[in-house]
Amino acid sequence: MAAVTKVEAGTLPAVKLVAADGAEIIVALFGAHLLSWKTADGKERMFVSRQSALDGSKPIRGGVPVIFPQFNMRGPGPKHGFARNVNWRLGASGGDGGSSFLRFDLSDGDLPADVAASWPHAFALQLRFVLSGDSLEIDYEVRNTGTQEFPFGAALHTYYDVGQLDATSVSGLQGVQYENHHLQTLVQEHPALHFTEKQDRLYQAPESVTLNTADATLRLHQEGFSEWVVWNPGADDARAMNDLADDEYLRFICIEPARVNQQPLAAGATWTGRHKVSA
Ligand code: TA6
C-alpha cells in the first residue's frame, strides 16, 4: 500500500508519497514543486540547492519548478510565470498495487489578488505525479475555463542530480535543430551533449532523450510539449546566483519538456503534456 503523509520542507507544507516498493516523492504545495524523487533503491534523482529558499519568499532552486503561463521572458509577465510562486491544493492521492499518485490543482480563484489582476483569465491547472516502479510520470493539464482564448507557455523545469557534471551527457539529440543562448540556430552534430561550459539550449523536441551520468541512465520521454530545454549555468552564471552555491553547478543539469512560446488555448479547451522519467 502507498502511504501519503504531510511533511515540511524548510517552512513549506509538503506532501510525501511512499509507494509500496519504497520509491518516494516529496512535493511542496508552494508551486506544486517536486523536491525529491527517490527510487526504491534509495537513490535521490533530483537536485535542490542547499542555498535555496524554502519559505515561499521566492522560487525554489531545484527539483521541478512548474512553469506557467510563460517560459523565461517569452511573455509579458514575470520570468517563468507565476505558477511556481503560488500555493497549489492537494486535489487527490491514491494507488493500486502497481502505481500511486498525488494530484495538485491550481485555478484562478486560488491566486492572490495582485497575481489574478496581472493575469485576468479563468483557468484550471492539474499536475499529477505518478510513481510506478522505477518511473516517475508527471501529467500536466491546462484548461481554459473562461469564455475567451488565452496564450500560454509551459515547462517542467526539471533539475537532475547528476553527481559529477564532467561524467554527464545527454544523448538522442544528434541531428536535432536547436537555438543556443547567443540566439544562433544550429543543428547538433555530436551523438552526445557534454557539459564543459554554460549550456542553455532549446531543442526541437524528439520524444525521448537519455541522460547518462557516472552511475545512472535515465530515459526521458515527453508528449504534448514542443521543446527540450537543456541548461547548466556554468561557473560564471552560477557565481552570480545567490540561491546556488558556487560549486553546485557541477552537480546538476536541467532537461525540461517545454512549450517555450506562448500559444493560444481556446475557451473550453484543454492542453495536456506528459513527462515520463525512467531509471
Ligand atoms: O530553462 C533555462 C532557463 O530559462 C535559463 O535561461 C535560466 O535563466 C534558468 O531557466 C533559470 O531561471 P530562474 O528564473 O529559475 O533563475
Side-chain angles (χ1 to χ4, degrees), residues 59-62 65 67 71-73 79-80 84 155 157-159 181 198-202 229-233 237 241 243 254-256 258 260:
I60 296 163
R61 176 68 63 202
I67 305 305
F71 181 81
N72 204 315
M73 297 308 287
K79 186 180 178 194
H80 286 320
R84 63 177 179 167
H157 199 305
T158 314
Y159 288 70
H181 58 280
K198 169 180 172 168
Q199 296 289 7
D200 195 352
R201 295 184 174 188
L202 311 176
V229 180
V230 180
W231 178 59
N232 176 274
D237 285 11
M241 294 162 70
D243 58 357
C254 289
I255 310 178
E256 316 157 30
V260 297

PDB file of all heavy atoms in Angstrom, residues 59-62 65 67 71-73 79-80 84 155 157-159 181 198-202 229-233 237 241 243 254-256 258 260, ligand 1:
ATOM      1  N   PRO A  59      11.110  31.556  -5.777  1.00  0.00           N
ATOM      2  CA  PRO A  59      11.035  30.198  -6.322  1.00  0.00           C
ATOM      3  C   PRO A  59      12.131  29.295  -5.759  1.00  0.00           C
ATOM      4  O   PRO A  59      13.212  29.761  -5.391  1.00  0.00           O
ATOM      5  CB  PRO A  59      11.236  30.401  -7.824  1.00  0.00           C
ATOM      6  CG  PRO A  59      10.951  31.828  -8.088  1.00  0.00           C
ATOM      7  CD  PRO A  59      11.267  32.578  -6.821  1.00  0.00           C
ATOM      8  N   ILE A  60      11.844  28.020  -5.725  1.00  0.00           N
ATOM      9  CA  ILE A  60      12.794  27.026  -5.211  1.00  0.00           C
ATOM     10  C   ILE A  60      13.825  26.724  -6.304  1.00  0.00           C
ATOM     11  O   ILE A  60      13.471  26.563  -7.465  1.00  0.00           O
ATOM     12  CB  ILE A  60      12.030  25.750  -4.806  1.00  0.00           C
ATOM     13  CG1 ILE A  60      11.082  26.078  -3.641  1.00  0.00           C
ATOM     14  CG2 ILE A  60      12.993  24.613  -4.462  1.00  0.00           C
ATOM     15  CD1 ILE A  60       9.989  25.060  -3.413  1.00  0.00           C
ATOM     16  N   ARG A  61      15.098  26.689  -5.907  1.00  0.00           N
ATOM     17  CA  ARG A  61      16.175  26.405  -6.872  1.00  0.00           C
ATOM     18  C   ARG A  61      16.448  24.905  -6.878  1.00  0.00           C
ATOM     19  O   ARG A  61      17.200  24.391  -6.057  1.00  0.00           O
ATOM     20  CB  ARG A  61      17.441  27.172  -6.457  1.00  0.00           C
ATOM     21  CG  ARG A  61      18.650  26.889  -7.317  1.00  0.00           C
ATOM     22  CD  ARG A  61      18.535  27.396  -8.720  1.00  0.00           C
ATOM     23  NE  ARG A  61      18.424  28.841  -8.753  1.00  0.00           N
ATOM     24  CZ  ARG A  61      17.887  29.504  -9.802  1.00  0.00           C
ATOM     25  NH1 ARG A  61      17.428  28.865 -10.863  1.00  0.00           N
ATOM     26  NH2 ARG A  61      17.805  30.823  -9.756  1.00  0.00           N
ATOM     27  N   GLY A  62      15.783  24.211  -7.814  1.00  0.00           N
ATOM     28  CA  GLY A  62      15.993  22.773  -7.928  1.00  0.00           C
ATOM     29  C   GLY A  62      14.676  22.054  -8.055  1.00  0.00           C
ATOM     30  O   GLY A  62      13.616  22.686  -8.186  1.00  0.00           O
ATOM     31  N   PRO A  65      10.468  23.007 -10.875  1.00  0.00           N
ATOM     32  CA  PRO A  65       9.615  24.197 -10.961  1.00  0.00           C
ATOM     33  C   PRO A  65       8.596  24.027 -12.094  1.00  0.00           C
ATOM     34  O   PRO A  65       8.944  23.604 -13.200  1.00  0.00           O
ATOM     35  CB  PRO A  65      10.611  25.314 -11.284  1.00  0.00           C
ATOM     36  CG  PRO A  65      11.943  24.795 -10.847  1.00  0.00           C
ATOM     37  CD  PRO A  65      11.888  23.310 -11.040  1.00  0.00           C
ATOM     38  N   ILE A  67       6.330  25.681 -14.739  1.00  0.00           N
ATOM     39  CA  ILE A  67       6.357  26.951 -15.462  1.00  0.00           C
ATOM     40  C   ILE A  67       5.005  27.176 -16.149  1.00  0.00           C
ATOM     41  O   ILE A  67       4.544  26.327 -16.915  1.00  0.00           O
ATOM     42  CB  ILE A  67       7.487  26.917 -16.524  1.00  0.00           C
ATOM     43  CG1 ILE A  67       8.847  26.562 -15.897  1.00  0.00           C
ATOM     44  CG2 ILE A  67       7.546  28.237 -17.281  1.00  0.00           C
ATOM     45  CD1 ILE A  67       9.303  27.423 -14.771  1.00  0.00           C
ATOM     46  N   PHE A  71       7.284  30.924 -20.539  1.00  0.00           N
ATOM     47  CA  PHE A  71       8.619  30.379 -20.341  1.00  0.00           C
ATOM     48  C   PHE A  71       9.626  31.521 -20.366  1.00  0.00           C
ATOM     49  O   PHE A  71       9.609  32.346 -21.283  1.00  0.00           O
ATOM     50  CB  PHE A  71       8.954  29.354 -21.433  1.00  0.00           C
ATOM     51  CG  PHE A  71      10.311  28.759 -21.250  1.00  0.00           C
ATOM     52  CD1 PHE A  71      10.505  27.727 -20.342  1.00  0.00           C
ATOM     53  CD2 PHE A  71      11.404  29.262 -21.920  1.00  0.00           C
ATOM     54  CE1 PHE A  71      11.773  27.210 -20.120  1.00  0.00           C
ATOM     55  CE2 PHE A  71      12.672  28.750 -21.711  1.00  0.00           C
ATOM     56  CZ  PHE A  71      12.856  27.715 -20.813  1.00  0.00           C
ATOM     57  N   ASN A  72      10.511  31.566 -19.368  1.00  0.00           N
ATOM     58  CA  ASN A  72      11.537  32.596 -19.267  1.00  0.00           C
ATOM     59  C   ASN A  72      10.894  33.974 -19.489  1.00  0.00           C
ATOM     60  O   ASN A  72       9.926  34.309 -18.820  1.00  0.00           O
ATOM     61  CB  ASN A  72      12.681  32.297 -20.246  1.00  0.00           C
ATOM     62  CG  ASN A  72      13.987  32.957 -19.804  1.00  0.00           C
ATOM     63  OD1 ASN A  72      14.017  34.112 -19.420  1.00  0.00           O
ATOM     64  ND2 ASN A  72      15.072  32.213 -19.839  1.00  0.00           N
ATOM     65  N   MET A  73      11.398  34.785 -20.407  1.00  0.00           N
ATOM     66  CA  MET A  73      10.813  36.120 -20.629  1.00  0.00           C
ATOM     67  C   MET A  73       9.958  36.152 -21.891  1.00  0.00           C
ATOM     68  O   MET A  73       9.701  37.214 -22.447  1.00  0.00           O
ATOM     69  CB  MET A  73      11.938  37.178 -20.711  1.00  0.00           C
ATOM     70  CG  MET A  73      12.754  37.330 -19.440  1.00  0.00           C
ATOM     71  SD  MET A  73      11.725  37.590 -17.978  1.00  0.00           S
ATOM     72  CE  MET A  73      11.193  39.279 -18.263  1.00  0.00           C
ATOM     73  N   LYS A  79       9.380  36.421 -15.082  1.00  0.00           N
ATOM     74  CA  LYS A  79      10.171  35.329 -15.663  1.00  0.00           C
ATOM     75  C   LYS A  79       9.620  33.966 -15.227  1.00  0.00           C
ATOM     76  O   LYS A  79       9.412  33.728 -14.037  1.00  0.00           O
ATOM     77  CB  LYS A  79      11.627  35.477 -15.210  1.00  0.00           C
ATOM     78  CG  LYS A  79      12.559  34.485 -15.879  1.00  0.00           C
ATOM     79  CD  LYS A  79      13.997  34.652 -15.402  1.00  0.00           C
ATOM     80  CE  LYS A  79      14.897  33.616 -16.061  1.00  0.00           C
ATOM     81  NZ  LYS A  79      16.204  33.531 -15.398  1.00  0.00           N
ATOM     82  N   HIS A  80       9.382  33.110 -16.183  1.00  0.00           N
ATOM     83  CA  HIS A  80       8.881  31.745 -15.961  1.00  0.00           C
ATOM     84  C   HIS A  80       7.470  31.705 -15.340  1.00  0.00           C
ATOM     85  O   HIS A  80       7.039  30.666 -14.840  1.00  0.00           O
ATOM     86  CB  HIS A  80       9.846  30.904 -15.119  1.00  0.00           C
ATOM     87  CG  HIS A  80      11.081  30.459 -15.855  1.00  0.00           C
ATOM     88  ND1 HIS A  80      11.076  30.029 -17.162  1.00  0.00           N
ATOM     89  CD2 HIS A  80      12.376  30.367 -15.455  1.00  0.00           C
ATOM     90  CE1 HIS A  80      12.310  29.684 -17.533  1.00  0.00           C
ATOM     91  NE2 HIS A  80      13.124  29.899 -16.521  1.00  0.00           N
ATOM     92  N   ARG A  84       4.992  28.827 -10.214  1.00  0.00           N
ATOM     93  CA  ARG A  84       6.000  28.302  -9.273  1.00  0.00           C
ATOM     94  C   ARG A  84       6.062  29.129  -7.992  1.00  0.00           C
ATOM     95  O   ARG A  84       6.841  28.816  -7.092  1.00  0.00           O
ATOM     96  CB  ARG A  84       7.383  28.246  -9.938  1.00  0.00           C
ATOM     97  CG  ARG A  84       7.944  29.596 -10.359  1.00  0.00           C
ATOM     98  CD  ARG A  84       9.343  29.462 -10.940  1.00  0.00           C
ATOM     99  NE  ARG A  84       9.892  30.750 -11.379  1.00  0.00           N
ATOM    100  CZ  ARG A  84      11.161  30.952 -11.685  1.00  0.00           C
ATOM    101  NH1 ARG A  84      12.038  29.970 -11.595  1.00  0.00           N
ATOM    102  NH2 ARG A  84      11.587  32.135 -12.077  1.00  0.00           N
ATOM    103  N   ALA A 155       6.360  24.626 -18.908  1.00  0.00           N
ATOM    104  CA  ALA A 155       7.519  23.718 -18.856  1.00  0.00           C
ATOM    105  C   ALA A 155       7.571  23.027 -17.508  1.00  0.00           C
ATOM    106  O   ALA A 155       6.979  23.508 -16.523  1.00  0.00           O
ATOM    107  CB  ALA A 155       8.821  24.484 -19.089  1.00  0.00           C
ATOM    108  N   HIS A 157      10.589  22.294 -15.343  1.00  0.00           N
ATOM    109  CA  HIS A 157      11.984  22.756 -15.360  1.00  0.00           C
ATOM    110  C   HIS A 157      12.872  21.837 -14.505  1.00  0.00           C
ATOM    111  O   HIS A 157      13.460  22.261 -13.507  1.00  0.00           O
ATOM    112  CB  HIS A 157      11.985  24.193 -14.808  1.00  0.00           C
ATOM    113  CG  HIS A 157      13.192  25.015 -15.143  1.00  0.00           C
ATOM    114  ND1 HIS A 157      14.476  24.613 -14.863  1.00  0.00           N
ATOM    115  CD2 HIS A 157      13.306  26.224 -15.743  1.00  0.00           C
ATOM    116  CE1 HIS A 157      15.319  25.550 -15.250  1.00  0.00           C
ATOM    117  NE2 HIS A 157      14.638  26.537 -15.794  1.00  0.00           N
ATOM    118  N   THR A 158      12.958  20.585 -14.923  1.00  0.00           N
ATOM    119  CA  THR A 158      13.496  19.520 -14.060  1.00  0.00           C
ATOM    120  C   THR A 158      15.017  19.587 -13.830  1.00  0.00           C
ATOM    121  O   THR A 158      15.798  19.578 -14.786  1.00  0.00           O
ATOM    122  CB  THR A 158      13.124  18.167 -14.689  1.00  0.00           C
ATOM    123  OG1 THR A 158      11.737  18.228 -15.065  1.00  0.00           O
ATOM    124  CG2 THR A 158      13.346  17.030 -13.726  1.00  0.00           C
ATOM    125  N   TYR A 159      15.413  19.633 -12.533  1.00  0.00           N
ATOM    126  CA  TYR A 159      16.829  19.645 -12.143  1.00  0.00           C
ATOM    127  C   TYR A 159      17.237  18.225 -11.718  1.00  0.00           C
ATOM    128  O   TYR A 159      16.775  17.732 -10.679  1.00  0.00           O
ATOM    129  CB  TYR A 159      17.065  20.548 -10.927  1.00  0.00           C
ATOM    130  CG  TYR A 159      16.965  22.039 -11.154  1.00  0.00           C
ATOM    131  CD1 TYR A 159      15.746  22.645 -11.413  1.00  0.00           C
ATOM    132  CD2 TYR A 159      18.095  22.850 -11.036  1.00  0.00           C
ATOM    133  CE1 TYR A 159      15.658  24.029 -11.575  1.00  0.00           C
ATOM    134  CE2 TYR A 159      18.013  24.231 -11.197  1.00  0.00           C
ATOM    135  CZ  TYR A 159      16.799  24.809 -11.467  1.00  0.00           C
ATOM    136  OH  TYR A 159      16.717  26.174 -11.618  1.00  0.00           O
ATOM    137  N   HIS A 181      22.173  30.097 -26.427  1.00  0.00           N
ATOM    138  CA  HIS A 181      21.912  31.342 -25.695  1.00  0.00           C
ATOM    139  C   HIS A 181      22.458  32.566 -26.411  1.00  0.00           C
ATOM    140  O   HIS A 181      22.272  33.684 -25.948  1.00  0.00           O
ATOM    141  CB  HIS A 181      22.396  31.250 -24.240  1.00  0.00           C
ATOM    142  CG  HIS A 181      23.851  30.938 -24.087  1.00  0.00           C
ATOM    143  ND1 HIS A 181      24.349  29.660 -24.192  1.00  0.00           N
ATOM    144  CD2 HIS A 181      24.918  31.724 -23.844  1.00  0.00           C
ATOM    145  CE1 HIS A 181      25.657  29.676 -24.010  1.00  0.00           C
ATOM    146  NE2 HIS A 181      26.025  30.919 -23.793  1.00  0.00           N
ATOM    147  N   LYS A 198      28.884  26.733 -19.947  1.00  0.00           N
ATOM    148  CA  LYS A 198      27.456  27.035 -19.843  1.00  0.00           C
ATOM    149  C   LYS A 198      26.708  26.480 -21.057  1.00  0.00           C
ATOM    150  O   LYS A 198      27.177  26.613 -22.189  1.00  0.00           O
ATOM    151  CB  LYS A 198      27.282  28.561 -19.792  1.00  0.00           C
ATOM    152  CG  LYS A 198      25.842  29.005 -19.940  1.00  0.00           C
ATOM    153  CD  LYS A 198      25.709  30.512 -19.881  1.00  0.00           C
ATOM    154  CE  LYS A 198      24.282  30.919 -20.230  1.00  0.00           C
ATOM    155  NZ  LYS A 198      23.999  32.321 -19.915  1.00  0.00           N
ATOM    156  N   GLN A 199      25.564  25.874 -20.810  1.00  0.00           N
ATOM    157  CA  GLN A 199      24.679  25.450 -21.906  1.00  0.00           C
ATOM    158  C   GLN A 199      23.291  25.976 -21.607  1.00  0.00           C
ATOM    159  O   GLN A 199      22.808  25.879 -20.473  1.00  0.00           O
ATOM    160  CB  GLN A 199      24.587  23.920 -22.002  1.00  0.00           C
ATOM    161  CG  GLN A 199      25.860  23.194 -22.338  1.00  0.00           C
ATOM    162  CD  GLN A 199      26.301  23.407 -23.777  1.00  0.00           C
ATOM    163  OE1 GLN A 199      25.715  24.207 -24.512  1.00  0.00           O
ATOM    164  NE2 GLN A 199      27.350  22.709 -24.168  1.00  0.00           N
ATOM    165  N   ASP A 200      22.649  26.545 -22.594  1.00  0.00           N
ATOM    166  CA  ASP A 200      21.250  26.960 -22.448  1.00  0.00           C
ATOM    167  C   ASP A 200      20.652  26.840 -23.845  1.00  0.00           C
ATOM    168  O   ASP A 200      20.746  27.749 -24.654  1.00  0.00           O
ATOM    169  CB  ASP A 200      21.174  28.407 -21.924  1.00  0.00           C
ATOM    170  CG  ASP A 200      19.776  28.753 -21.419  1.00  0.00           C
ATOM    171  OD1 ASP A 200      18.851  27.945 -21.618  1.00  0.00           O
ATOM    172  OD2 ASP A 200      19.622  29.846 -20.832  1.00  0.00           O
ATOM    173  N   ARG A 201      20.091  25.665 -24.126  1.00  0.00           N
ATOM    174  CA  ARG A 201      19.678  25.351 -25.492  1.00  0.00           C
ATOM    175  C   ARG A 201      18.211  24.954 -25.549  1.00  0.00           C
ATOM    176  O   ARG A 201      17.716  24.250 -24.656  1.00  0.00           O
ATOM    177  CB  ARG A 201      20.496  24.172 -26.031  1.00  0.00           C
ATOM    178  CG  ARG A 201      21.965  24.481 -26.178  1.00  0.00           C
ATOM    179  CD  ARG A 201      22.682  23.298 -26.810  1.00  0.00           C
ATOM    180  NE  ARG A 201      24.070  23.616 -27.096  1.00  0.00           N
ATOM    181  CZ  ARG A 201      24.885  22.826 -27.782  1.00  0.00           C
ATOM    182  NH1 ARG A 201      24.459  21.650 -28.225  1.00  0.00           N
ATOM    183  NH2 ARG A 201      26.123  23.184 -28.016  1.00  0.00           N
ATOM    184  N   LEU A 202      17.561  25.374 -26.623  1.00  0.00           N
ATOM    185  CA  LEU A 202      16.176  24.983 -26.874  1.00  0.00           C
ATOM    186  C   LEU A 202      16.184  24.045 -28.076  1.00  0.00           C
ATOM    187  O   LEU A 202      16.452  24.486 -29.197  1.00  0.00           O
ATOM    188  CB  LEU A 202      15.324  26.210 -27.225  1.00  0.00           C
ATOM    189  CG  LEU A 202      15.406  27.436 -26.324  1.00  0.00           C
ATOM    190  CD1 LEU A 202      14.562  28.573 -26.907  1.00  0.00           C
ATOM    191  CD2 LEU A 202      14.898  27.080 -24.940  1.00  0.00           C
ATOM    192  N   VAL A 229      14.442  21.848 -23.253  1.00  0.00           N
ATOM    193  CA  VAL A 229      15.405  22.883 -22.890  1.00  0.00           C
ATOM    194  C   VAL A 229      16.496  22.197 -22.070  1.00  0.00           C
ATOM    195  O   VAL A 229      16.186  21.427 -21.147  1.00  0.00           O
ATOM    196  CB  VAL A 229      14.740  23.994 -22.045  1.00  0.00           C
ATOM    197  CG1 VAL A 229      15.765  25.072 -21.684  1.00  0.00           C
ATOM    198  CG2 VAL A 229      13.579  24.606 -22.814  1.00  0.00           C
ATOM    199  N   VAL A 230      17.746  22.440 -22.432  1.00  0.00           N
ATOM    200  CA  VAL A 230      18.860  21.848 -21.688  1.00  0.00           C
ATOM    201  C   VAL A 230      19.685  22.995 -21.130  1.00  0.00           C
ATOM    202  O   VAL A 230      20.126  23.875 -21.879  1.00  0.00           O
ATOM    203  CB  VAL A 230      19.730  20.964 -22.614  1.00  0.00           C
ATOM    204  CG1 VAL A 230      20.883  20.360 -21.814  1.00  0.00           C
ATOM    205  CG2 VAL A 230      18.890  19.862 -23.261  1.00  0.00           C
ATOM    206  N   TRP A 231      19.849  22.992 -19.809  1.00  0.00           N
ATOM    207  CA  TRP A 231      20.506  24.143 -19.165  1.00  0.00           C
ATOM    208  C   TRP A 231      21.456  23.701 -18.059  1.00  0.00           C
ATOM    209  O   TRP A 231      21.111  22.852 -17.227  1.00  0.00           O
ATOM    210  CB  TRP A 231      19.439  25.066 -18.541  1.00  0.00           C
ATOM    211  CG  TRP A 231      19.989  26.261 -17.798  1.00  0.00           C
ATOM    212  CD1 TRP A 231      20.779  27.245 -18.317  1.00  0.00           C
ATOM    213  CD2 TRP A 231      19.790  26.595 -16.414  1.00  0.00           C
ATOM    214  NE1 TRP A 231      21.068  28.180 -17.343  1.00  0.00           N
ATOM    215  CE2 TRP A 231      20.478  27.804 -16.168  1.00  0.00           C
ATOM    216  CE3 TRP A 231      19.091  25.994 -15.364  1.00  0.00           C
ATOM    217  CZ2 TRP A 231      20.497  28.418 -14.917  1.00  0.00           C
ATOM    218  CZ3 TRP A 231      19.100  26.602 -14.119  1.00  0.00           C
ATOM    219  CH2 TRP A 231      19.803  27.806 -13.904  1.00  0.00           C
ATOM    220  N   ASN A 232      22.642  24.284 -18.107  1.00  0.00           N
ATOM    221  CA  ASN A 232      23.540  24.296 -16.947  1.00  0.00           C
ATOM    222  C   ASN A 232      24.198  25.670 -16.955  1.00  0.00           C
ATOM    223  O   ASN A 232      24.663  26.113 -18.001  1.00  0.00           O
ATOM    224  CB  ASN A 232      24.603  23.192 -17.035  1.00  0.00           C
ATOM    225  CG  ASN A 232      25.584  23.287 -15.882  1.00  0.00           C
ATOM    226  OD1 ASN A 232      26.564  24.027 -15.946  1.00  0.00           O
ATOM    227  ND2 ASN A 232      25.311  22.571 -14.797  1.00  0.00           N
ATOM    228  N   PRO A 233      24.236  26.377 -15.822  1.00  0.00           N
ATOM    229  CA  PRO A 233      24.684  27.773 -15.845  1.00  0.00           C
ATOM    230  C   PRO A 233      26.179  27.951 -16.058  1.00  0.00           C
ATOM    231  O   PRO A 233      26.620  29.054 -16.415  1.00  0.00           O
ATOM    232  CB  PRO A 233      24.270  28.297 -14.463  1.00  0.00           C
ATOM    233  CG  PRO A 233      24.182  27.090 -13.599  1.00  0.00           C
ATOM    234  CD  PRO A 233      23.772  25.954 -14.500  1.00  0.00           C
ATOM    235  N   ASP A 237      27.903  32.120 -14.406  1.00  0.00           N
ATOM    236  CA  ASP A 237      26.497  32.394 -14.058  1.00  0.00           C
ATOM    237  C   ASP A 237      26.169  31.843 -12.672  1.00  0.00           C
ATOM    238  O   ASP A 237      25.398  32.451 -11.914  1.00  0.00           O
ATOM    239  CB  ASP A 237      25.543  31.784 -15.096  1.00  0.00           C
ATOM    240  CG  ASP A 237      25.520  32.587 -16.391  1.00  0.00           C
ATOM    241  OD1 ASP A 237      26.386  33.465 -16.558  1.00  0.00           O
ATOM    242  OD2 ASP A 237      24.652  32.321 -17.241  1.00  0.00           O
ATOM    243  N   MET A 241      24.484  33.739  -8.984  1.00  0.00           N
ATOM    244  CA  MET A 241      23.169  33.355  -8.442  1.00  0.00           C
ATOM    245  C   MET A 241      23.284  33.183  -6.941  1.00  0.00           C
ATOM    246  O   MET A 241      24.065  32.351  -6.466  1.00  0.00           O
ATOM    247  CB  MET A 241      22.693  32.034  -9.090  1.00  0.00           C
ATOM    248  CG  MET A 241      22.423  32.195 -10.585  1.00  0.00           C
ATOM    249  SD  MET A 241      22.388  30.625 -11.465  1.00  0.00           S
ATOM    250  CE  MET A 241      20.891  29.942 -10.847  1.00  0.00           C
ATOM    251  N   ASP A 243      21.095  31.983  -4.889  1.00  0.00           N
ATOM    252  CA  ASP A 243      20.444  30.783  -4.335  1.00  0.00           C
ATOM    253  C   ASP A 243      21.071  29.500  -4.864  1.00  0.00           C
ATOM    254  O   ASP A 243      20.445  28.439  -4.870  1.00  0.00           O
ATOM    255  CB  ASP A 243      18.924  30.814  -4.590  1.00  0.00           C
ATOM    256  CG  ASP A 243      18.573  30.920  -6.062  1.00  0.00           C
ATOM    257  OD1 ASP A 243      19.498  31.025  -6.896  1.00  0.00           O
ATOM    258  OD2 ASP A 243      17.373  30.882  -6.377  1.00  0.00           O
ATOM    259  N   CYS A 254      19.603  20.733 -15.998  1.00  0.00           N
ATOM    260  CA  CYS A 254      18.160  20.767 -16.238  1.00  0.00           C
ATOM    261  C   CYS A 254      17.883  20.255 -17.641  1.00  0.00           C
ATOM    262  O   CYS A 254      18.567  20.654 -18.591  1.00  0.00           O
ATOM    263  CB  CYS A 254      17.617  22.190 -16.136  1.00  0.00           C
ATOM    264  SG  CYS A 254      17.597  22.823 -14.456  1.00  0.00           S
ATOM    265  N   ILE A 255      16.929  19.347 -17.724  1.00  0.00           N
ATOM    266  CA  ILE A 255      16.403  18.924 -19.031  1.00  0.00           C
ATOM    267  C   ILE A 255      14.891  19.052 -18.900  1.00  0.00           C
ATOM    268  O   ILE A 255      14.268  18.372 -18.076  1.00  0.00           O
ATOM    269  CB  ILE A 255      16.791  17.473 -19.372  1.00  0.00           C
ATOM    270  CG1 ILE A 255      18.292  17.250 -19.185  1.00  0.00           C
ATOM    271  CG2 ILE A 255      16.393  17.142 -20.805  1.00  0.00           C
ATOM    272  CD1 ILE A 255      18.724  15.815 -19.453  1.00  0.00           C
ATOM    273  N   GLU A 256      14.315  19.944 -19.710  1.00  0.00           N
ATOM    274  CA  GLU A 256      12.947  20.393 -19.441  1.00  0.00           C
ATOM    275  C   GLU A 256      12.047  20.202 -20.652  1.00  0.00           C
ATOM    276  O   GLU A 256      12.307  20.798 -21.698  1.00  0.00           O
ATOM    277  CB  GLU A 256      12.975  21.894 -19.116  1.00  0.00           C
ATOM    278  CG  GLU A 256      14.084  22.296 -18.181  1.00  0.00           C
ATOM    279  CD  GLU A 256      14.450  23.779 -18.324  1.00  0.00           C
ATOM    280  OE1 GLU A 256      13.571  24.586 -18.658  1.00  0.00           O
ATOM    281  OE2 GLU A 256      15.624  24.118 -18.105  1.00  0.00           O
ATOM    282  N   ALA A 258       9.160  21.418 -22.685  1.00  0.00           N
ATOM    283  CA  ALA A 258       8.659  22.796 -22.663  1.00  0.00           C
ATOM    284  C   ALA A 258       7.820  23.115 -23.889  1.00  0.00           C
ATOM    285  O   ALA A 258       7.942  22.492 -24.942  1.00  0.00           O
ATOM    286  CB  ALA A 258       9.847  23.759 -22.603  1.00  0.00           C
ATOM    287  N   VAL A 260       7.870  26.548 -25.252  1.00  0.00           N
ATOM    288  CA  VAL A 260       8.551  27.789 -24.894  1.00  0.00           C
ATOM    289  C   VAL A 260       7.811  29.031 -25.364  1.00  0.00           C
ATOM    290  O   VAL A 260       7.856  30.061 -24.689  1.00  0.00           O
ATOM    291  CB  VAL A 260      10.021  27.845 -25.370  1.00  0.00           C
ATOM    292  CG1 VAL A 260      10.866  26.775 -24.738  1.00  0.00           C
ATOM    293  CG2 VAL A 260      10.139  27.793 -26.859  1.00  0.00           C
TER     294      VAL A 260
HETATM  295  O1  TA6 B   1      15.410  26.895 -18.588  1.00  0.00           O
HETATM  296  C1  TA6 B   1      16.610  27.556 -18.643  1.00  0.00           C
HETATM  297  C2  TA6 B   1      16.393  28.982 -18.167  1.00  0.00           C
HETATM  298  O2  TA6 B   1      15.410  29.607 -18.928  1.00  0.00           O
HETATM  299  C3  TA6 B   1      17.759  29.694 -18.188  1.00  0.00           C
HETATM  300  O3  TA6 B   1      17.851  30.683 -19.172  1.00  0.00           O
HETATM  301  C4  TA6 B   1      17.978  30.171 -16.764  1.00  0.00           C
HETATM  302  O4  TA6 B   1      17.688  31.502 -16.603  1.00  0.00           O
HETATM  303  C5  TA6 B   1      17.055  29.247 -15.997  1.00  0.00           C
HETATM  304  O5  TA6 B   1      15.950  28.986 -16.802  1.00  0.00           O
HETATM  305  C6  TA6 B   1      16.698  29.561 -14.560  1.00  0.00           C
HETATM  306  O6  TA6 B   1      15.789  30.593 -14.410  1.00  0.00           O
HETATM  307  P1  TA6 B   1      15.439  31.106 -12.948  1.00  0.00           P
HETATM  308  O7  TA6 B   1      14.384  32.157 -13.146  1.00  0.00           O
HETATM  309  O8  TA6 B   1      14.896  29.940 -12.182  1.00  0.00           O
HETATM  310  O9  TA6 B   1      16.695  31.637 -12.358  1.00  0.00           O
END
